[in-house]
Amino acid sequence: GENVEQHPSTLSVQEGDSAVIKCTYSDSASNYFPWYKQELGKRPQLIIDIRSNVGEKKDQRIAVTLNKTAKHFSLHITETQPEDSAVYFCAASRIKAAGNKLTFGGGTRVLVKP
Amino acid sequence: SQTIHQWPATLVQPVGSPLSLECTVEGTSNPNLYWYRQAAGRGLQLLFYSVGIGQISSEVPQNLSASRPQDRQFILSSKKLLLSDSGFYLCAWSQRTDSGNTIYFGEGSWLTVV
């Protein structure tokens, strides 16, 4: 089955700096890669996703890049703000696979220091 | 629009007692349904998923069971809780289409086994 590794496990940045989280996946057939943000005590919420036919996707201050050959994808947050402090999870799956199961990385706790 | 609800939000149960967490989805039909568990400060572990009424797939051997008595209802149960069952339980759903595997989470249920 799919295995997703996520690094770093914790990340502390100064407000206004950029944050980068990296994930690698094992199943070359995976073609859908979402990112979720989970604030303390809350449910994970989708912030951005990318499909394997796209190399990069951007939404305001967040962007995701995908390298299919190397089987890794990254989340980039620019101009970080205190409200970006949360745990971020990457995930991978195959579109059309039975059950649409997502395999999650272990999470990255991001702390933005004012 | 689609919504997902799960309850109860929090519960404290003694070891050996039964458990029932319930989840319902509104605004869609024939969804994929999931139960995830998140131990304190840890990642998301898929426990069960269902592609239809009465169809349950278990991802990990454990003390829990799941049932889907109706199209948009998913129930997580245990006959006898263990201390290790404590955690944050998340119900989730996704569309059964080819457009993507986005999973949407419920608000979560905090379970403490004492």
Side-chain angles (χ1 to χ4, degrees):
Chain A
E2 175 67 278
N3 182 51
V4 178
E5 299 283 341
Q6 183 172 346
H7 300 280
S9 57
T10 59
L11 180 60
S12 182
V13 297
Q14 205 66 38
E15 182 178 359
D17 289 349
S18 295
V20 180
I21 303 170
K22 299 181 179 180
C23 290
T24 60
Y25 60 98
S26 61
D27 186 355
S28 57
S30 287
N31 52 14
Y32 175 67
F33 308 93
W35 286 87
Y36 287 81
K37 175 183 179 182
Q38 185 180 29
E39 297 178 352
L40 189 63
K42 302 283 185 66
R43 73 181 100 181
Q45 294 197 305
L46 179 74
I47 56 172
I48 195 168
D49 59 13
I50 192 169
R51 289 173 173 75
S52 60
N53 58 348
V54 175
E56 182 174 358
K57 184 176 178 180
K58 189 173 182 180
D59 182 4
Q60 299 182 342
R61 294 187 298 108
I62 60 173
V64 58
T65 59
L66 171 66
N67 184 325
K68 286 177 57 180
T69 303
K71 291 191 286 188
H72 68 70
F73 56 112
S74 300
L75 178 72
H76 304 252
I77 308 173
T78 58
E79 302 173 22
T80 54
Q81 300 169 5
E83 52 265 37
D84 295 328
S85 295
V87 178
Y88 292 80
F89 291 97
C90 63
S93 73
R94 298 186 201 181
I95 295 175
K96 300 184 184 181
N100 290 6
K101 293 183 294 178
L102 284 177
T103 300
F104 284 88
T108 297
R109 185 173 301 277
V110 174
L111 175 63
V112 179
K113 296 179 288 186
Chain B
S1 64
Q2 301 88 2
T3 57
I4 179 170
H5 301 286
Q6 66 176 102
W7 65 93
T10 60
L11 64 166
V12 180
Q13 295 284 100
V15 169
S17 65
L19 170 74
S20 181
L21 300 178
E22 191 166 339
C23 170
T24 59
V25 180
E26 298 176 358
T28 188
S29 60
N30 204 23
N32 293 315
L33 296 173
Y34 313 85
W35 278 109
Y36 283 85
R37 176 170 60 198
Q38 188 174 31
R42 305 291 294 275
L44 297 157
Q45 180 186 37
L46 179 62
L47 302 177
F48 301 95
Y49 72 94
S50 171
V51 299
I53 296 174
Q55 300 178 61
I56 310 295
S57 295
S58 174
E59 289 294 291
V60 294
Q62 60 203 301
N63 183 43
L64 302 168
S65 62
S67 62
R68 184 170 178 174
Q70 300 181 44
D71 180 46
R72 293 171 291 169
Q73 183 185 26
F74 206 23
I75 298 171
L76 184 70
S77 304
S78 174
K79 293 182 179 178
K80 290 186 178 182
L81 285 168
L82 306 172
L83 286 173
S84 57
D85 290 325
S86 293
F88 189 43
Y89 288 81
L90 290 154
C91 182
W93 73 277
S94 70
Q95 294 276 18
R96 292 186 62 191
T97 68
D98 293 343
S99 62
N101 290 24
T102 303
I103 286 181
Y104 302 94
F105 289 91
E107 306 96 326
S109 299
W110 288 97
L111 170 65
T112 303
V113 182
V114 296

